[in-house]
Amino acid sequence: MRVAEAMTRSVQLASPDQSIVDAAKMMADCDCGVLPVGENDRLVGMITDRDIVVRALAKGMDSSTLIRDVMSTDVKYCYEDDDLDEVAINMGDLQVRRLPVLSRDKRLIGIISLGDISASADVEPTAEALAAISEPATEHMPSGYRPH
């Protein structure tokens, strides 16, 4: 099965020049905890509810803080034609629960979550990914390590 068959296509896109309050309101409206951040028709980052709390509020930043100041810029993604099981394993390796989905010309077309994968595919890759995500991250973990 391919990512395109399981992904969520309706994705709210934030701008890096919006405030973290704008991002929080957008997350509340779509009942999600992550937003892709786009600028000039390109994906430039991701912001999560955790970014807002840990990178902004916990450090004393105020509500006018811009998304660009707390978003993650090292965006991991997958393509719509990628194999779903392989993406699930990769999500476990990366310790992420969601990935933006891009077309081959690098345009954002959706988002894939472990929930999407578990509802659409074999349970084993999803279970392995969730187990890997749940492991504490450590700098001593070898690249490509997946607990079995």
Side-chain angles (χ1 to χ4, degrees):
M1 181 178 274
R2 299 288 166 208
V3 169
E5 298 172 66
M7 70 183 199
T8 300
R9 291 186 181 272
S10 58
V11 178
Q12 187 77 29
L13 188 66
S15 164
D17 295 321
Q18 289 178 280
S19 73
I20 59 172
V21 169
D22 293 334
K25 287 178 182 176
M26 291 168 69
M27 288 177 193
D29 289 345
C30 66
D31 190 27
C32 65
V34 63
L35 295 171
V37 182
E39 186 173 49
N40 300 323
D41 200 29
R42 289 289 188 209
L43 184 64
V44 296
M46 296 288 283
I47 186 162
T48 66
D49 47 6
R50 190 172 195 286
D51 293 332
I52 294 169
V53 172
V54 174
R55 291 183 179 175
L57 300 177
K59 293 185 178 176
M61 295 178 182
D62 65 26
S63 61
S64 66
T65 300
L66 299 180
I67 290 173
R68 78 170 61 254
D69 296 330
V70 296
M71 71 183 190
S72 297
T73 56
D74 182 24
V75 180
K76 306 299 183 200
Y77 57 88
C78 63
Y79 292 109
E80 64 184 323
D81 58 354
D82 283 343
D83 180 77
L84 204 54
D85 289 347
E86 291 175 15
V87 168
I89 292 166
N90 191 36
M91 290 170 78
D93 291 344
L94 296 170
Q95 292 193 309
V96 298
R97 295 176 186 270
R98 297 168 205 88
L99 283 176
V101 180
L102 305 182
S103 63
R104 285 291 171 177
D105 63 350
K106 301 254 178 133
R107 303 287 183 223
L108 178 70
I109 59 168
I111 196 159
I112 188 84
S113 70
L114 282 180
D116 296 330
I117 295 171
S118 68
S120 302
D122 183 10
V123 175
E124 186 176 334
T126 307
E128 286 182 19
L130 186 56
I133 290 166
S134 300
E135 288 290 316
T138 173
E139 63 188 21
H140 303 292
M141 199 177 286
S143 175
Y145 171 79
R146 282 194 332 263
H148 292 92

